[in-house]
Amino acid sequence: EAGVAQSPRYKIIEKRQSVAFWCNPISGHATLYWYQQILGQGPKLLIQFQNNGVVDDSQLPKDRFSAERLKGVDSTLKIQPAKLEDSAVYLCASSPTGTGGFNTQYFGPGTRLTVL
Amino acid sequence: AQKVTQAQTEISVVEKEDVTLDCVYETRDTTYYLFWYKQPPSGELVFLIRRNSFDEQNEISGRYSWNFQKSTSSFNFTITASQVVDSAVYFCALSEARSSYKLIFGSGTRLLVRP
């Protein structure tokens, strides 16, 4: 079974530029998550989708970050405009049906963003 | 508020030593889940184990074992006879019903196993 796919793996941009990350979850997984992991810290949830609806985006900086999950499969996370403090690894995860805690989240390899 | 504390920032051991990674959590929920993930240098988080709040049975999987104690709000992870391939950052995480089961991670413990 294929795991969670993410692209690109690395991205370097100047501040105030925009950037987009793509995630393809494990086939059949209804729930998709985007996490931000700053160097030396644990991942922090940005947004959680159940199919193509948003379950939790309370920690998403909505003035600059946006995310969508069209057709309930792939998802895109965008930052516009980027700030220096956005430098981090952006992790995508997916889990099977529902949002119950019994659903283990499986992570992709992440996208390492550097903002100069 | 929910919180996960991993007080050990970095641990260094020699191969074949046993090592225990500590995890202390805070929650007001009666239904919650605890997880351990491994993050090798490649960066991908690898799921190791999930426990629910109603099951305090300890678990062993090969060289890995987990000790869940609700009385002390701890979920510790022991690697027996450590190997160089165990070198990674290990994260403990909590999910609870009142937070839509999102994962709350600790800050991680970096384990270095020297040959």
Side-chain angles (χ1 to χ4, degrees), chain A residues 80-103:
Chain A
Q80 182 179 11
K83 292 185 175 181
L84 295 177
E85 59 261 36
D86 298 332
S87 293
V89 175
Y90 291 85
L91 294 162
C92 180
S94 70
S95 65
T97 58
T99 57
F102 51 84
N103 282 309

Side-chain angles (χ1 to χ4, degrees), chain A residues 22 24 29 34 38 55-56 70 81 83 100 102 108 114:
Chain A
W22 173 83
N24 181 243
H29 279 196
W34 283 102
I38 293 173
V55 174
D56 184 347
L70 300 176
K83 292 185 175 181
F102 51 84
T114 301

Side-chain angles (χ1 to χ4, degrees), chain A residues 9 35 37 41-43 45 48 56 59 91 99-102 104-105 107-108, chain B residues 33 35 37 39 42-45 47 50 91 95 100-103 105-107:
Chain A
R9 290 297 312 278
Y35 288 84
Q37 186 178 17
Q41 299 181 17
L45 180 73
Q48 176 181 345
D56 184 347
Q59 297 189 85
L91 294 162
T99 57
F102 51 84
T104 295
Q105 295 181 32
F107 286 79
Chain B
Y33 294 79
F35 300 78
Y37 283 86
Q39 189 172 45
S42 61
E44 187 166 341
L45 280 163
F47 166 72
R50 177 190 69 237
F91 289 96
S95 74
S100 304
Y101 292 109
K102 67 183 179 187
L103 287 175
F105 284 87
S107 55

Side-chain angles (χ1 to χ4, degrees), chain B residues 19-44:
Chain B
V19 58
T20 296
L21 309 181
D22 298 333
C23 173
V24 174
Y25 63 92
E26 295 177 29
T27 179
R28 294 179 183 172
D29 222 329
T30 55
T31 301
Y32 56 90
Y33 294 79
L34 296 164
F35 300 78
W36 276 96
Y37 283 86
K38 174 182 179 180
Q39 189 172 45
S42 61
E44 187 166 341

Side-chain angles (χ1 to χ4, degrees), chain A residues 34-81:
Chain A
W34 283 102
Y35 288 84
Q36 180 193 57
Q37 186 178 17
I38 293 173
L39 186 64
Q41 299 181 17
K44 181 187 77 172
L45 180 73
L46 292 175
I47 189 167
Q48 176 181 345
F49 292 95
Q50 170 78 10
N51 295 310
N52 58 353
V54 175
V55 174
D56 184 347
D57 64 357
S58 57
Q59 297 189 85
L60 187 74
K62 298 181 186 64
D63 57 334
R64 298 183 301 105
F65 286 65
S66 64
E68 59 182 9
R69 190 184 185 197
L70 300 176
K71 301 180 183 178
V73 182
D74 294 6
S75 177
T76 303
L77 176 69
K78 296 179 181 177
I79 307 175
Q80 182 179 11

